[in-house]
Amino acid sequence: MKSITHIFFILLVFISACNVSAQDGTIRNSADKLHKNIGVAVSNKFFTFPDNHEYKTILKSEFNILVAENAMKPSSIESVRGEFNFSKPDSLIAFAIANNMKVRGHCLVISRPISNWMDNEQMTREELFAILKEYITTVVSHYKGKIYAWDVVNEAINIKETDGYRKTIWYNVLGPQYIDSAFVWAHQADPNALLFYNDNSGETLGGKSDAIFNLVKGLKDRNIPIDGVGLQCHFKLGQTNFEEMKKNMDRIAAIGLQTQITELDISIPQSMFNEDSYKKQAEEYKQIVSLFLNDKNCTCLLFWGLTDGFSWIPKKSKNTRGKGLILSEDYSKKPAYYSILNLLQESNTK
Ligand code: XIL
């Protein structure tokens, strides 16, 4: 009898220990308590690869917000003119709702990739305006009330151009006015969704962030419905000045716009894949997450992929860089994961 009681007691301690680690030991648990949105971009493999149980389990236990890495881009939703295919994003949203997670929409207007039929500069201005309006209205209405924030226009700036605009089909045929119109149409379709301008390489101070700032200030001044700026944050280890980033975030806040960290990764050169780099990476992740936690105006932080195995960086950099995320290919937790978790847990005890 005594030994049965003993076993029972051990079992009880074990079960409660499991509960503690399941509930308290995740990024999500701390983020929820702090009312902070922390999430990841979901790979297209979410929809197709058979052995995705572990992937999905980690998504829902570690994060409270999701974005589709590619499945909600126009090339995926309207690859054929007039045929809107919502199956992938719908299943992502169903997963998010079932697990009490938010969804961020990425993105309505993008330069590349876009469907071949759309990428046609022979179209008249009127025709292309109508296509864009139909696209934005259809997609935003379909997800009305389900997508909490949209990247309305993505990467419209190129500071190497004399007028500062990236020369896309949208700009070439419609002129810069497409940006104002896109925000107006998105707002008409879902007045409650938060609307963002999203771009890269403009997180700290400099020509690109000045251009982004001027663009969004212009939108605000013209009363275009914009709520914030998405800072993509595709960083390279050792190259980000976080004090400058804070200054940039503050000037955006000063004109009444939110910021969101939308596509974070901190990649490492291939020749430096070692423990020392992972420690430095953990330190930088700590700096940016602490910036995020200390800034009420910065309302979301998303990593651009769940593990190093799902990151876009190796392909993009022709394998010269990688290992930019907080979990390894085999889902094991990197020093960056623990530095973030510790910071979140500390913030919860303050
Ligand atoms: C990238 C995806 O991660 C890749 O899988 C895809 O091949 C190309 O697009 N900025 C953006 C994202 O706004 O849409 C990009 O995503 C990464 C850079």
Side-chain angles (χ1 to χ4, degrees):
M1 189 60 198
K2 204 172 162 199
S3 69
I4 289 180
T5 320
H6 196 70
I7 289 170
F8 183 70
F9 178 72
I10 290 174
L11 212 63
L12 210 69
V13 170
F14 178 72
I15 289 169
S16 59
C18 285
N19 276 339
V20 165
S21 62
Q23 286 169 11
D24 290 344
T26 68
I27 288 177
R28 179 174 186 165
N29 184 255
S30 296
D32 281 345
K33 283 192 208 151
L34 294 166
H35 304 290
K36 282 292 211 179
N37 301 309
I38 304 188
V40 282
V42 174
S43 155
N44 261 349
K45 295 190 181 125
F46 172 93
F47 311 103
T48 49
F49 73 134
D51 183 24
N52 63 6
H53 179 71
E54 192 169 12
Y55 187 94
K56 287 189 170 174
T57 305
I58 297 176
L59 285 186
K60 64 186 176 191
S61 58
E62 292 288 349
F63 303 104
N64 55 21
I65 179 162
L66 299 175
V67 63
E69 182 179 359
N70 290 303
M72 237 179 248
K73 289 177 182 168
S75 51
S76 175
I77 291 185
E78 196 183 6
S79 61
V80 177
R81 186 168 183 175
E83 289 178 21
F84 289 81
N85 185 346
F86 290 116
S87 55
K88 282 182 187 156
D90 282 357
S91 77
L92 181 68
I93 287 192
F95 176 83
I97 292 174
N99 294 294
N100 198 21
M101 307 165 95
K102 284 186 180 159
V103 181
R104 209 173 175 280
H106 175 83
C107 51
L108 297 170
V109 189
I110 188 170
S111 56
R112 290 268 184 286
I114 61 169
S115 317
N116 287 338
W117 72 266
M118 228 184 233
D119 199 2
N120 172 6
E121 293 203 6
Q122 301 311 312
M123 284 193 260
T124 63
R125 189 164 188 260
E126 206 179 17
E127 191 181 6
L128 194 60
F129 255 127
I131 286 171
L132 189 59
K133 182 173 186 183
E134 189 201 16
Y135 182 80
I136 292 176
T137 308
T138 308
V139 175
V140 178
S141 306
H142 183 85
Y143 291 116
K144 189 173 179 191
K146 292 184 177 151
I147 296 230
Y148 113 102
W150 275 106
D151 286 331
V152 179
V153 177
N154 200 46
E155 301 174 358
I157 289 171
N158 179 356
I159 52 170
K160 291 192 185 127
E161 300 284 355
T162 39
D163 65 359
Y165 289 102
R166 185 187 288 265
K167 298 298 175 277
T168 65
I169 172 107
W170 311 112
Y171 181 85
N172 293 344
V173 179
L174 307 175
Q177 206 215 316
Y178 82 89
I179 300 176
D180 291 29
S181 301
F183 279 91
V184 170
W185 294 326
H187 183 67
Q188 281 166 355
D190 185 353
N192 292 323
L194 298 173
L195 305 181
F196 283 76
Y197 174 77
N198 191 50
D199 213 329
N200 59 42
S201 316
E203 294 82 9
T204 58
L205 298 176
K208 180 78 181 265
S209 60
D210 287 349
I212 296 173
F213 180 77
N214 291 335
L215 175 83
V216 298
K217 184 167 183 316
L219 294 171
K220 275 291 270 184
D221 291 346
R222 293 192 295 282
N223 283 323
I224 298 296
I226 178 172
D227 298 286
V229 178
L231 304 167
Q232 291 187 8
C233 300
H234 294 294
F235 291 151
K236 292 178 174 165
L237 186 65
Q239 294 189 20
T240 308
N241 181 329
F242 292 100
E243 280 168 23
E244 278 191 10
M245 182 168 168
K246 167 86 183 123
K247 285 186 185 149
N248 188 38
M249 289 162 78
D250 285 348
R251 72 170 160 170
I252 295 170
I255 56 166
L257 293 173
Q258 298 182 20
T259 51
Q260 297 198 335
I261 292 165
T262 51
E263 306 184 13
L264 178 59
D265 43 37
I266 304 179
S267 65
I268 300 173
Q270 203 264 341
S271 59
M272 288 167 58
F273 290 174
N274 55 46
E275 286 310 313
D276 189 38
S277 297
Y278 300 143
K279 277 193 204 138
K280 289 188 180 128
Q281 184 186 48
E283 194 44 49
E284 289 201 359
Y285 264 112
K286 192 172 164 187
Q287 290 189 58
I288 188 164
V289 174
S290 119
L291 239 178
F292 166 65
L293 293 178
N294 291 320
D295 186 346
K296 283 203 171 61
N297 192 58
C298 185
T299 49
C300 180
L301 181 148
L302 289 154
F303 304 101
W304 204 241
L306 182 64
T307 74
D308 285 339
F310 293 100
S311 168
W312 74 305
I313 295 290
K315 191 169 167 209
K316 169 82 180 166
S317 68
K318 301 198 173 64
N319 284 320
T320 58
R321 311 187 66 86
K323 311 274 185 203
L325 295 165
I326 65 172
L327 299 177
S328 304
E329 286 85 348
D330 63 0
Y331 296 100
S332 59
K333 295 166 178 166
K334 292 166 65 182
Y337 172 92
Y338 290 108
S339 72
I340 293 171
L341 183 67
N342 288 341
L343 191 63
L344 287 163
Q345 291 180 334
E346 273 167 36
S347 301
N348 264 313
T349 56
K350 276 183 195 154

PDB file of all heavy atoms in Angstrom, residues 108-123:
ATOM      1  N   LEU A 108      -1.387  42.499 -49.919  1.00  0.00           N
ATOM      2  CA  LEU A 108      -2.354  42.771 -50.995  1.00  0.00           C
ATOM      3  C   LEU A 108      -1.681  43.275 -52.271  1.00  0.00           C
ATOM      4  O   LEU A 108      -2.017  42.844 -53.363  1.00  0.00           O
ATOM      5  CB  LEU A 108      -3.400  43.777 -50.496  1.00  0.00           C
ATOM      6  CG  LEU A 108      -4.255  43.254 -49.323  1.00  0.00           C
ATOM      7  CD1 LEU A 108      -5.079  44.393 -48.733  1.00  0.00           C
ATOM      8  CD2 LEU A 108      -5.177  42.126 -49.771  1.00  0.00           C
ATOM      9  N   VAL A 109      -0.752  44.199 -52.140  1.00  0.00           N
ATOM     10  CA  VAL A 109      -0.057  44.700 -53.335  1.00  0.00           C
ATOM     11  C   VAL A 109       1.434  44.435 -53.179  1.00  0.00           C
ATOM     12  O   VAL A 109       2.054  44.888 -52.220  1.00  0.00           O
ATOM     13  CB  VAL A 109      -0.279  46.221 -53.529  1.00  0.00           C
ATOM     14  CG1 VAL A 109       0.279  46.648 -54.884  1.00  0.00           C
ATOM     15  CG2 VAL A 109      -1.749  46.584 -53.426  1.00  0.00           C
ATOM     16  N   ILE A 110       1.971  43.683 -54.123  1.00  0.00           N
ATOM     17  CA  ILE A 110       3.384  43.278 -54.052  1.00  0.00           C
ATOM     18  C   ILE A 110       3.971  43.428 -55.456  1.00  0.00           C
ATOM     19  O   ILE A 110       3.247  43.341 -56.447  1.00  0.00           O
ATOM     20  CB  ILE A 110       3.479  41.823 -53.529  1.00  0.00           C
ATOM     21  CG1 ILE A 110       4.909  41.396 -53.242  1.00  0.00           C
ATOM     22  CG2 ILE A 110       2.793  40.832 -54.467  1.00  0.00           C
ATOM     23  CD1 ILE A 110       5.013  40.051 -52.495  1.00  0.00           C
ATOM     24  N   SER A 111       5.274  43.670 -55.536  1.00  0.00           N
ATOM     25  CA  SER A 111       5.855  43.798 -56.880  1.00  0.00           C
ATOM     26  C   SER A 111       6.137  42.426 -57.465  1.00  0.00           C
ATOM     27  O   SER A 111       5.781  42.126 -58.593  1.00  0.00           O
ATOM     28  CB  SER A 111       7.116  44.643 -56.831  1.00  0.00           C
ATOM     29  OG  SER A 111       8.044  44.105 -55.923  1.00  0.00           O
ATOM     30  N   ARG A 112       6.784  41.555 -56.746  1.00  0.00           N
ATOM     31  CA  ARG A 112       7.088  40.192 -57.181  1.00  0.00           C
ATOM     32  C   ARG A 112       6.920  39.248 -55.995  1.00  0.00           C
ATOM     33  O   ARG A 112       7.255  39.636 -54.894  1.00  0.00           O
ATOM     34  CB  ARG A 112       8.554  40.077 -57.658  1.00  0.00           C
ATOM     35  CG  ARG A 112       8.852  40.790 -58.954  1.00  0.00           C
ATOM     36  CD  ARG A 112       8.660  39.825 -60.139  1.00  0.00           C
ATOM     37  NE  ARG A 112       9.015  40.429 -61.424  1.00  0.00           N
ATOM     38  CZ  ARG A 112       8.280  41.347 -62.061  1.00  0.00           C
ATOM     39  NH1 ARG A 112       7.171  41.753 -61.535  1.00  0.00           N
ATOM     40  NH2 ARG A 112       8.658  41.827 -63.219  1.00  0.00           N
ATOM     41  N   PRO A 113       6.486  38.015 -56.175  1.00  0.00           N
ATOM     42  CA  PRO A 113       5.970  37.465 -57.423  1.00  0.00           C
ATOM     43  C   PRO A 113       4.527  37.910 -57.654  1.00  0.00           C
ATOM     44  O   PRO A 113       3.756  38.017 -56.700  1.00  0.00           O
ATOM     45  CB  PRO A 113       6.015  35.953 -57.164  1.00  0.00           C
ATOM     46  CG  PRO A 113       5.811  35.825 -55.688  1.00  0.00           C
ATOM     47  CD  PRO A 113       6.390  37.061 -55.074  1.00  0.00           C
ATOM     48  N   ILE A 114       4.187  38.175 -58.906  1.00  0.00           N
ATOM     49  CA  ILE A 114       2.772  38.335 -59.222  1.00  0.00           C
ATOM     50  C   ILE A 114       2.431  37.424 -60.405  1.00  0.00           C
ATOM     51  O   ILE A 114       3.325  37.008 -61.135  1.00  0.00           O
ATOM     52  CB  ILE A 114       2.333  39.799 -59.484  1.00  0.00           C
ATOM     53  CG1 ILE A 114       3.057  40.416 -60.670  1.00  0.00           C
ATOM     54  CG2 ILE A 114       2.466  40.664 -58.266  1.00  0.00           C
ATOM     55  CD1 ILE A 114       2.436  41.758 -61.087  1.00  0.00           C
ATOM     56  N   SER A 115       1.153  37.138 -60.559  1.00  0.00           N
ATOM     57  CA  SER A 115       0.746  36.206 -61.613  1.00  0.00           C
ATOM     58  C   SER A 115       1.083  36.790 -62.982  1.00  0.00           C
ATOM     59  O   SER A 115       1.013  38.011 -63.172  1.00  0.00           O
ATOM     60  CB  SER A 115      -0.759  35.971 -61.539  1.00  0.00           C
ATOM     61  OG  SER A 115      -1.141  35.798 -60.201  1.00  0.00           O
ATOM     62  N   ASN A 116       1.415  35.903 -63.920  1.00  0.00           N
ATOM     63  CA  ASN A 116       1.776  36.355 -65.275  1.00  0.00           C
ATOM     64  C   ASN A 116       0.692  37.225 -65.896  1.00  0.00           C
ATOM     65  O   ASN A 116       0.974  38.244 -66.512  1.00  0.00           O
ATOM     66  CB  ASN A 116       2.021  35.156 -66.197  1.00  0.00           C
ATOM     67  CG  ASN A 116       3.336  34.501 -65.844  1.00  0.00           C
ATOM     68  OD1 ASN A 116       4.197  35.141 -65.239  1.00  0.00           O
ATOM     69  ND2 ASN A 116       3.480  33.231 -66.184  1.00  0.00           N
ATOM     70  N   TRP A 117      -0.554  36.809 -65.719  1.00  0.00           N
ATOM     71  CA  TRP A 117      -1.643  37.549 -66.366  1.00  0.00           C
ATOM     72  C   TRP A 117      -1.732  38.985 -65.828  1.00  0.00           C
ATOM     73  O   TRP A 117      -2.104  39.909 -66.546  1.00  0.00           O
ATOM     74  CB  TRP A 117      -2.985  36.823 -66.194  1.00  0.00           C
ATOM     75  CG  TRP A 117      -3.541  36.874 -64.794  1.00  0.00           C
ATOM     76  CD1 TRP A 117      -3.375  35.954 -63.816  1.00  0.00           C
ATOM     77  CD2 TRP A 117      -4.340  37.925 -64.229  1.00  0.00           C
ATOM     78  NE1 TRP A 117      -3.998  36.342 -62.662  1.00  0.00           N
ATOM     79  CE2 TRP A 117      -4.609  37.560 -62.901  1.00  0.00           C
ATOM     80  CE3 TRP A 117      -4.844  39.134 -64.710  1.00  0.00           C
ATOM     81  CZ2 TRP A 117      -5.364  38.347 -62.038  1.00  0.00           C
ATOM     82  CZ3 TRP A 117      -5.596  39.924 -63.846  1.00  0.00           C
ATOM     83  CH2 TRP A 117      -5.853  39.527 -62.539  1.00  0.00           C
ATOM     84  N   MET A 118      -1.357  39.149 -64.548  1.00  0.00           N
ATOM     85  CA  MET A 118      -1.456  40.478 -63.925  1.00  0.00           C
ATOM     86  C   MET A 118      -0.282  41.360 -64.364  1.00  0.00           C
ATOM     87  O   MET A 118      -0.385  42.567 -64.446  1.00  0.00           O
ATOM     88  CB  MET A 118      -1.382  40.294 -62.400  1.00  0.00           C
ATOM     89  CG  MET A 118      -2.416  41.022 -61.596  1.00  0.00           C
ATOM     90  SD  MET A 118      -2.102  40.773 -59.848  1.00  0.00           S
ATOM     91  CE  MET A 118      -3.674  40.171 -59.281  1.00  0.00           C
ATOM     92  N   ASP A 119       0.839  40.706 -64.623  1.00  0.00           N
ATOM     93  CA  ASP A 119       2.073  41.430 -64.902  1.00  0.00           C
ATOM     94  C   ASP A 119       2.115  41.836 -66.381  1.00  0.00           C
ATOM     95  O   ASP A 119       2.986  41.429 -67.135  1.00  0.00           O
ATOM     96  CB  ASP A 119       3.260  40.517 -64.572  1.00  0.00           C
ATOM     97  CG  ASP A 119       4.531  41.323 -64.390  1.00  0.00           C
ATOM     98  OD1 ASP A 119       4.476  42.555 -64.476  1.00  0.00           O
ATOM     99  OD2 ASP A 119       5.579  40.696 -64.157  1.00  0.00           O
ATOM    100  N   ASN A 120       1.158  42.648 -66.784  1.00  0.00           N
ATOM    101  CA  ASN A 120       1.006  42.944 -68.200  1.00  0.00           C
ATOM    102  C   ASN A 120       0.881  44.455 -68.405  1.00  0.00           C
ATOM    103  O   ASN A 120      -0.172  45.038 -68.172  1.00  0.00           O
ATOM    104  CB  ASN A 120      -0.255  42.200 -68.704  1.00  0.00           C
ATOM    105  CG  ASN A 120      -0.621  42.579 -70.119  1.00  0.00           C
ATOM    106  OD1 ASN A 120       0.105  43.315 -70.792  1.00  0.00           O
ATOM    107  ND2 ASN A 120      -1.759  42.082 -70.576  1.00  0.00           N
ATOM    108  N   GLU A 121       1.976  45.035 -68.818  1.00  0.00           N
ATOM    109  CA  GLU A 121       1.991  46.497 -68.945  1.00  0.00           C
ATOM    110  C   GLU A 121       1.211  47.008 -70.153  1.00  0.00           C
ATOM    111  O   GLU A 121       1.116  48.207 -70.377  1.00  0.00           O
ATOM    112  CB  GLU A 121       3.435  47.011 -68.957  1.00  0.00           C
ATOM    113  CG  GLU A 121       4.103  46.798 -67.610  1.00  0.00           C
ATOM    114  CD  GLU A 121       5.275  47.725 -67.344  1.00  0.00           C
ATOM    115  OE1 GLU A 121       5.534  48.622 -68.144  1.00  0.00           O
ATOM    116  OE2 GLU A 121       5.922  47.529 -66.294  1.00  0.00           O
ATOM    117  N   GLN A 122       0.648  46.081 -70.936  1.00  0.00           N
ATOM    118  CA  GLN A 122      -0.182  46.515 -72.064  1.00  0.00           C
ATOM    119  C   GLN A 122      -1.574  46.953 -71.592  1.00  0.00           C
ATOM    120  O   GLN A 122      -2.325  47.571 -72.342  1.00  0.00           O
ATOM    121  CB  GLN A 122      -0.360  45.368 -73.085  1.00  0.00           C
ATOM    122  CG  GLN A 122       0.957  44.833 -73.663  1.00  0.00           C
ATOM    123  CD  GLN A 122       1.859  45.945 -74.150  1.00  0.00           C
ATOM    124  OE1 GLN A 122       1.428  46.844 -74.867  1.00  0.00           O
ATOM    125  NE2 GLN A 122       3.126  45.911 -73.721  1.00  0.00           N
ATOM    126  N   MET A 123      -1.907  46.600 -70.356  1.00  0.00           N
ATOM    127  CA  MET A 123      -3.248  46.964 -69.859  1.00  0.00           C
ATOM    128  C   MET A 123      -3.365  48.475 -69.717  1.00  0.00           C
ATOM    129  O   MET A 123      -2.383  49.153 -69.427  1.00  0.00           O
ATOM    130  CB  MET A 123      -3.515  46.310 -68.503  1.00  0.00           C
ATOM    131  CG  MET A 123      -3.842  44.834 -68.632  1.00  0.00           C
ATOM    132  SD  MET A 123      -4.494  44.199 -67.100  1.00  0.00           S
ATOM    133  CE  MET A 123      -3.068  43.418 -66.431  1.00  0.00           C
TER     134      MET A 123
END
